[in-house]
């Protein structure tokens, strides 16, 4: 590589490219919490959203721009005046704002999506970049579907974007089509053929349709990319984006080979990954590199023997360096408020007084039920108490009975009592094919909300027979997939919380704007 001490900037797009994928939607408050976690992780830039796409996205970007410090806050816009102005308005108050404009450049997209000639596409790109540049100093230009674009046309539009004021040129493999040697050669070609190439940072944005997103991003770095766009846990459109944790650890573990480094605090990788999967309810596969539960598990006798002699025999990185804590057992029922605050801080949660009080009360209740409270339990508590802080239905009583045999007296039955946002109390009961079916029917009767449930699953938060259960419900609301999650030592109670999580999101989304703003604050 030309530059032996190359610094690669990490641009996280979990809140934009990631969040727009099925099962990953987040509320504005959840986005804000996650944006803080990304800044603590040390990302150079975080893409907070696409303000012109919805009021909710605009509000979330505003809150992030006002509060998050330490990382550039970027927002996405098509090359349309309205989109670009919406970005600038949403970014007000940001310490380091960036507007990211994009337009499709491949022949397929030019003809079938845009109906524009090459010249018209360049003209729009120049308009978009120049307008953004009049509003902020930091402008990124993306050539959508770049990897299926004629290289000489790509060089032409990138040259025009630099002349119009772009400071970062992003080359997306929008459909995950490229291969490592091809993308490396393309970056080398662009760096040699784009006019004034040294005035901009070249960036890779790889999708994972062929499972090559990380490999392709690493190859792009070999070709001269100095920014990589990625997401935590690799979430994103279809098969996802380049997984941040994998890319960062590949650069670190193979630093002599790549000669490149990032400013990511790798010990925050596992907590950030876990935070995202708790917020979205999207579990990380056990054998996922770096952040999966099995990533450092050694089961075979031969491997265990080797590990006992020397860890390096079967481990290329240390679990603690990516944030797996050595000892998972942290708290018990005698632990105090200050110890809880300390441990939460180590897990990346800085709670204000009211939130800490809510979490401490929930911790005491949990510690009465469970002998050992693990980090994962604490994370679930914080996120659970966030949900309680929001307006909406809360479960105050639950009774479920079940049986087999098909007689009336063995029919699964559930009764619930809920408190509403306006102080009302509602009680309802229902029967069903099974206890969960009966429970969801009782909740629907009590709230008057019908959910079209697509999937339902329960997993355990930690190990042991007193582990908390985490329930995840995915439902379709107005054609959009929404995920709800709930945690409790009782899996039926966890299931009720997960169902209510979606119902409350649905009510908030339909509430007048003033209530939505209140939820962000
Ligand atoms: O995949 C893609 O092309 C994108 C652009 C909007 C950057 O996400
Ligand atoms: Zn993308």
């Amino acid at each position: 590589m030309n530059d032996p001490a190359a610094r690669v900037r990490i641009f996280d797009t979990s809140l934009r490219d990631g969040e727009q994928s099925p099962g990953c939607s987040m509320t504005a408050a959840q986005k804000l919490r996650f944006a803080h976690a990304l800044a603590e992780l040390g990302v150079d830039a975080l893409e907070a959203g696409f303000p012109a796409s919805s009021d909710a996205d605009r509000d979330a970007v505003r809150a992030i721009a006002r509060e998050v410090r330490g990382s550039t806050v970027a927002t996405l816009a098509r090359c349309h005046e309205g989109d670009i102005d919406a970005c600038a308005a949403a970014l007000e108050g940001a310490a380091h704002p960036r507007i990211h404009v994009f337009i499709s450049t491949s022949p397929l997209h030019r003809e079938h999506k845009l109906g524009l000639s090459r010249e018209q596409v360049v003209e729009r790109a120049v308009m978009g970049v120049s307008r953004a540049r009049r509003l902020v100093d930091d402008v990124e230009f993306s050539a959508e579907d770049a990897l299926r674009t004629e290289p000489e046309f790509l060089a032409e539009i990138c040259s025009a974007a630099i002349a119009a004021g772009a400071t970062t040129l992003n080359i997306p493999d929008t459909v995950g089509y490229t291969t490592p040697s091809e993308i490396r050669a393309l970056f080398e070609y662009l760096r040699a053929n784009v006019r004034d190439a040294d005035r901009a940072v070249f960036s890779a944005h790889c999708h994972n349709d062929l499972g090559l997103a990380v490999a392709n991003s690493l190859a792009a770095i070999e070709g001269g990319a100095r920014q990589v766009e990625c997401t935590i846990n690799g979430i994103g459109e279809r098969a996802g984006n380049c997984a941040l944790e994998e890319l960062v650890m590949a650069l670190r573990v193979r630093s002599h080979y790549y000669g490149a480094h990032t400013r990511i605090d790798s010990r925050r990788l596992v907590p950030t990954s876990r935070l995202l999967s708790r917020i979205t309810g999207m579990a990380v596969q056990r054998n996922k590199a770096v952040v999966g539960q099995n990533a450092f598990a050694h089961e075979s006798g031969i491997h265990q023997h080797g590990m006992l002699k020397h860890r390096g025999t079967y481990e290329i990185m240390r679990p603690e360096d990516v944030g797996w804590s050595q000892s998972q057992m942290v708290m018990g029922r005698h632990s105090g408020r200050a110890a809880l605050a300390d441990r939460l801080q180590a897990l990346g949660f800085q709670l204000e007084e009211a939130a800490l009080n809510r979490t401490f009360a929930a911790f005491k209740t949990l510690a009465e039920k469970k002998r050992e409270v693990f980090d994962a339990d604490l994370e679930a508590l914080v996120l659970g108490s966030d949900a309680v802080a929001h307006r909406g239905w809360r479960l105050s009583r639950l009774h479920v009975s079940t049986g087999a045999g098909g007689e009336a007296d063995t029919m699964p039955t559930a009764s619930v009592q809920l408190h509403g946002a306006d102080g009302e109390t509602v009680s309802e009961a229902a029967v069903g094919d099974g206890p969960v079916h009966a429970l969801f029917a009782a909740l629907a009767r009590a709230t008057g909300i019908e959910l079209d449930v697509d999937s339902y699953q329960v997993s355990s938060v930690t190990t042991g027979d007193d582990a908390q259960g985490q329930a995840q419900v995915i439902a379709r609301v107005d054609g959009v997939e929404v995920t709800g999650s709930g945690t409790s030592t009782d899996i039926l109670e966890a299931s009720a919380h997960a169902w209510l999580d979606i119902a409350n999101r649905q009510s908030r989304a339909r509430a007048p704007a003033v209530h939505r703003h209140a939820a962000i604050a």
Side-chain angles (χ1 to χ4, degrees):
M1 285 207 338
N2 304 339
D3 178 5
R7 171 128 114 75
V8 174
R9 291 160 187 78
I10 297 295
F11 176 110
D12 180 277
T13 183
S14 305
L15 292 170
R16 199 278 299 169
D17 216 334
E19 202 261 351
Q20 73 195 34
S21 62
C24 290
S25 68
M26 299 179 220
T27 64
Q30 290 171 332
K31 286 185 186 176
L32 181 57
R33 179 179 288 294
F34 195 66
H36 279 295
L38 288 172
E40 273 176 46
L41 176 66
V43 302
D44 296 279
L46 62 94
E47 190 159 49
F50 185 0
S53 68
S54 68
D55 289 355
D57 231 35
R58 182 204 56 207
D59 293 344
V61 171
R62 270 199 189 145
I64 293 170
R66 274 199 308 262
E67 272 198 29
V68 174
R69 294 293 176 263
S71 303
T72 293
V73 177
T75 52
L76 186 69
R78 291 166 296 185
C79 288
H80 293 178
E81 294 174 359
D83 279 24
I84 296 165
D85 295 351
C87 279
L91 284 170
E92 249 171 55
H96 304 287
R98 174 183 297 182
I99 297 181
H100 175 190
V101 295
F102 76 99
I103 191 162
S104 288
T105 52
S106 66
L108 207 66
H109 281 219
R110 288 194 313 260
E111 184 185 338
H112 298 287
K113 186 175 139 185
L114 301 176
L116 296 177
S117 66
R118 280 186 179 202
E119 294 69 30
Q120 288 168 317
V121 170
V122 175
E123 210 174 286
R124 285 229 189 148
V126 168
M127 181 287 292
V129 172
S130 332
R131 190 176 185 92
R133 191 57 207 261
R134 283 198 291 277
L135 299 166
V136 293
D137 289 337
D138 186 354
V139 175
E140 172 167 334
F141 170 70
S142 278
E144 191 183 2
D145 205 15
L147 268 292
R148 293 191 299 170
T149 299
E150 307 88 333
E152 74 290 353
F153 177 55
L154 195 56
E156 177 192 335
I157 199 163
C158 286
S159 305
I162 292 184
T167 42
T168 302
L169 294 176
N170 187 37
I171 311 297
D173 182 19
T174 304
V175 290
Y177 177 73
T178 196
T179 65
S181 52
E182 184 180 65
I183 194 169
R184 177 185 173 152
L186 180 65
F187 273 81
E188 283 166 355
Y189 170 82
L190 291 174
R191 296 206 56 243
N193 289 282
V194 168
R195 263 191 316 281
D196 295 324
D198 290 341
R199 280 171 44 194
V201 172
F202 281 78
S203 165
H205 175 115
C206 296
H207 279 268
N208 203 31
D209 298 66
L210 294 173
L212 291 172
V214 174
N216 287 337
S217 304
L218 289 167
I221 292 172
E222 292 184 86
R226 288 295 171 267
Q227 173 178 285
V228 174
E229 303 201 348
C230 32
T231 58
I232 298 292
N233 298 341
I235 62 168
E237 284 284 359
R238 306 179 307 278
N241 288 61
C242 169
L244 182 149
E245 58 282 355
E246 296 178 15
L247 180 101
V248 164
M249 290 317 292
L251 289 179
R252 177 154 314 175
V253 171
R254 301 306 310 273
S255 60
H256 291 303
Y257 180 77
Y258 288 108
H261 62 278
T262 70
R263 69 171 189 110
I264 294 293
D265 175 357
S266 64
R267 287 159 311 166
R268 302 242 27 96
L269 288 172
V270 168
T272 313
S273 155
R274 289 223 301 243
L275 178 63
L276 183 67
S277 70
R278 288 226 187 291
I279 287 177
T280 58
M282 191 186 257
V284 171
Q285 77 199 51
R286 289 187 81 95
N287 64 335
K288 167 97 168 57
V290 184
V291 295
Q293 292 242 314
N294 289 2
F296 294 91
H298 302 274
E299 189 72 27
S300 100
I302 296 176
H303 287 204
Q304 286 175 352
H305 180 75
M307 284 289 293
L308 289 174
K309 298 268 184 223
H310 190 291
R311 282 174 75 165
T313 50
Y314 289 101
E315 262 180 18
I316 57 168
M317 51 195 152
R318 298 187 312 167
E320 55 272 32
D321 290 346
V322 299
W324 288 104
S325 51
Q326 292 263 329
S327 143
Q328 290 277 323
M329 204 274 282
V330 285
M331 311 275 293
R333 84 195 149 89
H334 299 297
S335 309
R337 195 170 170 284
L340 176 72
D342 256 18
R343 189 62 210 155
L344 289 175
Q345 192 160 6
L347 292 171
F349 296 107
Q350 260 152 8
L351 302 190
E352 284 165 8
E353 197 68 13
L356 180 59
N357 288 342
R358 271 198 309 275
T359 310
F360 186 57
F363 162 72
K364 280 288 176 193
T365 312
L366 179 64
E368 285 301 328
K369 294 187 194 164
K370 225 174 158 274
R371 260 177 319 115
E372 298 165 332
V373 179
F374 297 88
D375 285 351
D377 291 319
L378 294 180
E379 287 164 358
L381 277 186
V382 177
L383 296 167
S385 73
D386 269 3
V388 171
H390 291 136
R391 293 171 56 85
W393 293 103
R394 272 190 303 116
L395 182 71
S396 50
R397 278 184 140 170
L398 166 69
H399 179 81
V400 180
S401 66
T402 190
E407 315 297 329
D409 61 341
T410 57
M411 206 136 170
T413 311
S415 59
V416 296
Q417 186 185 65
L418 305 181
H419 286 312
D422 301 322
E424 70 276 35
T425 302
V426 192
S427 299
E428 275 296 350
V431 291
D433 295 336
V436 176
H437 187 221
L439 172 62
F440 288 177
L443 291 169
R445 276 195 184 162
T447 57
I449 296 174
E450 289 293 338
L451 290 187
D452 183 3
V453 174
D454 264 2
S455 83
Y456 162 73
Q457 62 184 41
V458 179
S459 54
S460 77
V461 171
T462 56
T463 50
D465 56 10
D466 63 350
Q468 294 196 90
Q470 181 174 26
Q472 185 199 64
V473 175
I474 301 181
R476 212 153 265 288
V477 177
D478 299 333
V480 178
E481 222 175 67
V482 183
T483 306
S485 62
T487 313
S488 168
T489 46
D490 176 327
I491 57 169
L492 287 166
E493 191 182 331
S495 308
H497 289 314
W499 193 98
L500 287 171
D501 188 16
I502 300 183
N504 288 336
R505 284 187 204 202
Q506 182 177 352
S507 318
R508 280 198 297 276
R510 289 181 183 160
V514 63
H515 287 162
R516 294 208 300 274
H517 285 252
I520 297 169

